[in-house]
Amino acid sequence: FQRRFVWSAPAQLSFLAAVLRNLPSGALLLLETDPDEMVFAPIELDGAPALSSTNRPERLILDGQQRTTTLYRAFNTAAPNKTFEVDVKAIIAVGEFSDEHLTIARGGSGSIAQQAERGVVALPHLIDPPKMAGWYATYSKHHLGGDDSQIEELMRLVRAHLPGAESDSSHQLPVIKIKKGAPLAAVINVFEGINRRGTRLNGFDLMVARLYRETSPGKYFDLRERWVEEAGKCPNLTRIGFNVDRDGLLPLQVIALAVSRLPDGTRPSGVRGVKQTDVLELPPSQVIGDRPKEMVLKGIDLGASFGALNEAVKFLRDHCGVMEWHLLPQASMLIPLADQFLLPKTQRLQLDQLKRWFFASGLQIRYYGSVNSYVESDCRQLRAWKASDGEEVPTAIKQLTRDYVNGLSFLQPNSREGAILGKTIMSMIIASGALDWRSGQLDLKGLDERIQIHHAVPREVLLKIRGARGELDPIAVLTPITQSRNGSLRDKSPQDVHGILGADAGAILESHQFDPELFAEFGSNKTKLNQLLQNREARLRAFVISMMTL
């Protein structure tokens, strides 16, 4: 039930060569299932017979689809215009089997006699004893002078060089089986823990399988296709780079969160929040929206979820400076915002309240670690904030004090958890109306051009001054500017940039919280660098305190 077959020809040939040599080729992970009560809707392997109500599997492949499909195509149902064949004549000539002896015959291999005449054999025939008997006889006629006494030695050589294809059971793969009835949480843990090969799969792929069902005669719901279709209707999501492989679960988590609020007895018992297990317990119609009577919460389906996420991103772009995906501190922060935009306008918080929560959460690096717990807690608190007419202030806002901000380190690396703080600061700079580093003093917030993170002090200079063990990405040295300007400045040192900016230098640098004089005096020495960084850190603290009115 996974994604469709994606292996390239070289990947298929490499794997089949290992099989022919009878080398280990990894275990298969299978899930036992009840054909009459399918939890995951199955999809036949590419090229295999179509499944039907009378042709349903007892086991599903969790890990091994690419390998199994390759084996099936190569040894069983090779397409007439794409046949795998091995050059036996060349193998015998050089005395060993190499990968280049295995090829794909795009126009087909021809009859068994024609193959033998060319000295090759198609893989399906290689494990078919009656056909191989005719192949050996014809091969002897064309390449051994018709000396039938040499056929036995020919057969020995083929078995020796291609031990994995001596028969249809010569090559065996170990199998790990998950028993039917196993809890979904256990399936997910095993699935993600073992599936490390090829195209990585996740809870979203499991949900694709959960929802794959016939919606009308001959038409099936494909969550991945529908996801891409819905995203295409949302210009803000498209602009910011919303991606099905990275962000697939987010719209489903928004739905799960809404369903989890229903009273006991009216919601599915397994849906308690936004974890993958909660998403997998959603009734299919709640996502698809095709059978209203089966929905436990009317009006909340995939389309509605995408609409709310689109509004959330529009809010971030318009009010919070999150112009690009790489400026979003943590993707899960979209869920509480989308949860607000699912509500009627009269029941939502004011935009300045949402902005305050968003920046406060980012500055405290809340969405690092137990992300799902913060999502569920913040959604409750944001709704309570509105219901209480502003009296029940969310924890993220209450805990953001002047003392907390003064204790922040902007000299920490912009990596891992520090990146959440760094992205928050970059977005705040844009939201405050920072000017691009070019003549004309363009406001970053109003630009359509892509925005990148710029090293105000080049990495090469940082490496030279701070040494190989020094941190090359302290938050205090980074700032957002447009892609074209970033490309034109490249690795120029601060004093050179200051000269390029000319009369606009002061206004531009001030808008990015740099001291123009220190910037101009930077002389590529450690003392000046430390002065510049410490001054920027102090300015950023004052900037945050002012922006958050602390």
Side-chain angles (χ1 to χ4, degrees):
F1 62 74
Q2 302 173 0
R3 300 172 187 173
R4 289 299 185 182
F5 186 68
V6 297
W7 265 12
S8 64
Q12 296 175 62
L13 292 169
S14 176
F15 169 68
L16 291 171
V19 169
L20 292 175
R21 293 188 179 96
N22 211 12
L23 297 175
S25 51
L28 300 180
L29 175 62
L30 305 181
L31 173 66
E32 292 185 342
T33 187
D34 186 344
D36 297 321
E37 190 176 341
M38 302 294 289
V39 175
F40 297 107
I43 303 174
E44 66 273 3
L45 295 179
D46 280 11
L51 296 174
S52 67
S53 58
T54 57
N55 176 27
R56 309 194 71 172
E58 296 181 357
R59 288 176 297 277
L60 298 176
I61 300 170
L62 290 184
D63 185 27
Q65 176 209 10
Q66 306 297 321
R67 288 171 288 157
T68 308
T69 303
T70 298
L71 286 172
Y72 188 83
R73 287 178 163 187
F75 286 98
N76 189 4
T77 58
N81 294 323
K82 185 178 179 181
T83 305
F84 294 91
E85 62 182 27
V86 60
D87 192 334
V88 176
K89 182 180 178 182
I91 293 172
I92 294 175
V94 300
E96 63 178 354
F97 170 48
S98 300
D99 286 6
E100 59 266 24
H101 295 140
L102 180 62
T103 57
I104 297 176
R106 300 290 176 181
S109 295
S111 67
I112 194 73
Q114 290 172 326
Q115 294 173 40
E117 184 176 349
R118 292 192 293 120
V120 304
V121 61
L123 296 195
H125 301 154
L126 192 59
I127 57 172
D128 187 329
K131 288 188 176 179
M132 282 304 292
W135 184 91
Y136 284 124
T138 306
Y139 185 96
S140 173
K141 174 183 176 182
H142 287 280
H143 305 290
L144 301 177
D147 186 353
D148 292 344
S149 64
Q150 297 188 49
I151 291 181
E152 186 173 339
E153 174 62 13
L154 173 63
M155 296 172 63
R156 187 192 69 78
L157 289 172
V158 171
R159 288 195 298 267
H161 291 302
L162 308 172
E166 184 174 351
S167 71
D168 59 7
S169 60
S170 297
H171 184 79
Q172 298 185 344
L173 295 86
V175 172
I176 301 170
K177 288 193 294 186
I178 301 177
K179 296 293 185 181
K180 62 182 176 182
L184 284 175
V187 174
I188 292 173
N189 288 336
V190 175
F191 182 72
E192 294 189 321
I194 291 180
N195 193 308
R196 295 288 186 266
R197 182 189 303 272
T199 304
R200 287 292 306 279
L201 302 167
N202 51 38
F204 178 77
D205 296 282
L206 290 174
M207 199 61 181
V208 171
R210 286 277 282 136
L211 302 182
Y212 190 81
R213 73 180 190 190
E214 194 170 24
T215 54
S216 61
K219 294 186 177 181
Y220 292 82
F221 180 82
D222 187 315
L223 176 62
R224 179 173 288 273
E225 291 181 0
R226 175 72 177 278
W227 199 106
V228 173
E229 178 185 333
E230 291 293 342
K233 301 175 185 176
C234 300
N236 296 302
L237 296 182
T238 301
R239 177 66 178 83
I240 205 172
F242 210 51
N243 182 280
V244 64
D245 292 320
R246 181 191 59 214
D247 314 313
L249 277 180
L250 279 175
L252 305 177
Q253 289 176 292
V254 173
I255 298 172
L257 179 68
V259 171
S260 72
R261 295 197 186 94
L262 294 173
D264 290 344
T266 63
R267 63 172 173 80
S269 60
V271 184
R272 301 183 179 89
V274 298
K275 297 179 178 64
Q276 288 191 13
T277 49
D278 298 312
V279 169
L280 282 165
E281 294 288 353
L282 284 171
S285 287
Q286 191 64 54
V287 178
I288 301 172
D290 61 332
R291 302 173 188 175
K293 292 183 179 180
E294 297 178 11
M295 297 175 68
V296 295
L297 185 59
K298 301 297 186 292
I300 307 295
D301 58 9
L302 192 64
S305 177
F306 264 99
L309 284 165
N310 189 57
E311 288 300 310
V313 170
K314 183 179 187 303
F315 158 74
L316 290 177
R317 286 178 54 82
D318 292 347
H319 300 276
C320 301
V322 182
M323 312 299 290
E324 312 285 349
W325 186 263
H326 60 80
L327 291 166
L328 179 63
Q330 227 285 355
S332 295
M333 297 174 76
L334 284 172
I335 300 176
L337 294 173
D339 186 55
Q340 283 287 306
F341 285 100
L342 279 175
L343 296 168
K345 286 186 177 181
T346 56
Q347 298 178 27
R348 299 177 198 163
L349 288 166
Q350 297 296 315
L351 296 181
D352 61 336
Q353 291 175 304
L354 291 178
K355 179 179 178 179
R356 189 171 186 83
W357 166 82
F358 176 77
F359 283 142
S361 297
L363 290 167
Q364 293 175 82
I365 318 179
R366 280 168 60 81
Y367 281 66
Y368 180 82
S370 302
V371 172
N372 290 332
S373 298
Y374 286 118
V375 167
E376 295 165 15
S377 173
D378 282 349
C379 286
R380 288 194 300 269
Q381 291 185 27
L382 290 177
R383 292 196 172 210
W385 197 16
K386 175 64 178 180
S388 66
D389 290 328
E391 292 186 8
E392 295 185 26
V393 180
T395 302
I397 295 175
K398 287 192 294 187
Q399 292 182 345
L400 186 70
T401 63
R402 180 184 288 257
D403 287 342
Y404 175 85
V405 174
N406 283 327
L408 285 174
S409 170
F410 296 105
L411 300 180
Q412 66 176 293
N414 187 55
S415 58
R416 301 186 66 179
E417 64 178 302
I420 297 178
L421 176 60
K423 292 175 181 180
T424 303
I425 292 298
M426 299 302 110
S427 297
M428 291 182 77
I429 289 174
I430 295 172
S432 70
L435 307 175
D436 187 29
W437 288 23
R438 64 172 74 189
S439 61
Q441 300 187 20
L442 300 176
D443 185 344
L444 287 181
K445 188 178 172 184
L447 288 178
D448 288 331
E449 186 179 346
R450 305 200 75 84
I451 296 174
Q452 295 182 336
I453 303 302
H454 172 70
H455 280 76
V457 178
R459 290 174 62 90
E460 289 74 9
V461 175
L462 287 171
L463 179 61
K464 179 180 178 181
I465 294 176
R466 308 189 90 182
R469 299 174 67 85
E471 173 52 51
L472 303 183
D473 290 307
I475 295 169
V477 85
L478 303 175
T479 202
I481 62 176
T482 54
Q483 181 178 6
S484 60
R485 194 50 166 167
N486 193 27
S488 66
L489 291 176
R490 295 186 179 275
D491 295 330
K492 291 182 173 65
S493 63
Q495 66 266 37
D496 294 331
V497 172
H498 192 279
I500 292 171
L501 297 176
D504 294 328
I508 292 174
L509 294 171
E510 288 281 1
S511 75
H512 287 259
Q513 309 307 316
F514 281 108
D515 183 311
E517 292 186 6
L518 285 175
F519 208 85
E521 294 172 358
F522 181 79
S524 298
N525 65 70
K526 190 171 185 178
T527 300
K528 291 291 185 181
L529 174 64
N530 288 335
Q531 288 178 354
L532 182 65
L533 294 183
Q534 289 167 8
N535 181 272
R536 180 111 191 288
E537 182 177 47
R539 280 174 169 255
L540 288 176
R541 286 176 182 150
F543 166 68
V544 170
I545 289 172
S546 175
M547 281 277 288
M548 302 300 292
T549 60
L550 299 176

